[in-house]
Amino acid sequence: DVYMITGSPLSVLDQHVFTDALLDFIRRCDAAKKPLLGACFGHQAIALALGGTVEKNPQGWEFGRIETVLIQPWDGATLPLSLYAAHNEQVTALPPMARQSGETPGCPNAAFAVGSKVWTTQYHPEMTGT
């Protein structure tokens, strides 16, 4: 089983009634080595909770299908993948223990991993083109 934090129309840069509890939950999952997956808002929330930085995208909105390069941790090989985006904020600094696992021209930290239990992507792997 895995915990997933999905996308949201809300911003992780704003304080919401659930923000502190969500960031605490992420830190507890990480400390307990629970599998955690983040997409878009979840990607950004996990980055913030674990010591990374999220800021407005200087190029503005990324919206639509984006060519993404996934980086394989075992050998650094790359894999091109088209994923859907809808965001104007992005992770600008990874958490200290994270490794980059994906990038796009407009979003250098498009995906990251922490050990073998946390993986995140700025994009929406749940969306299809149909």
Side-chain angles (χ1 to χ4, degrees):
D1 292 332
V2 62
Y3 293 102
M4 181 174 183
I5 302 169
T6 64
S8 171
L10 301 176
S11 169
V12 298
L13 298 177
D14 296 334
Q15 183 66 33
H16 305 285
V17 67
F18 62 85
T19 301
D20 293 338
L22 175 61
L23 298 180
D24 182 59
F25 174 77
I26 292 167
R27 289 184 198 107
R28 287 185 288 122
C29 283
D30 181 57
K33 305 294 185 217
K34 299 288 184 185
L36 190 57
L37 175 64
C40 196
F41 178 91
H43 165 77
Q44 296 171 9
I46 292 169
L48 278 179
L50 301 182
T53 304
V54 174
E55 298 176 274
K56 292 280 186 192
N57 183 346
Q59 291 91 22
W61 280 89
E62 275 198 319
F63 193 80
R65 197 168 98 182
I66 306 293
E67 297 304 314
T68 304
V69 175
L70 295 183
I71 304 163
Q72 298 179 21
W74 51 89
D75 62 3
T78 60
L79 172 69
L81 185 65
S82 291
L83 295 170
Y84 287 90
H87 66 98
N88 72 342
E89 299 166 347
Q90 63 185 8
V91 175
T92 55
L94 294 176
M97 69 294 274
R99 71 179 187 289
Q100 181 199 39
S101 60
E103 63 186 3
T104 71
C107 187
N109 296 313
F112 70 86
V114 177
S116 63
K117 297 292 185 181
V118 176
W119 189 78
T120 73
T121 176
Q122 180 59 67
Y123 301 95
H124 290 272
E126 77 280 8
M127 293 175 67
T128 66
T130 59

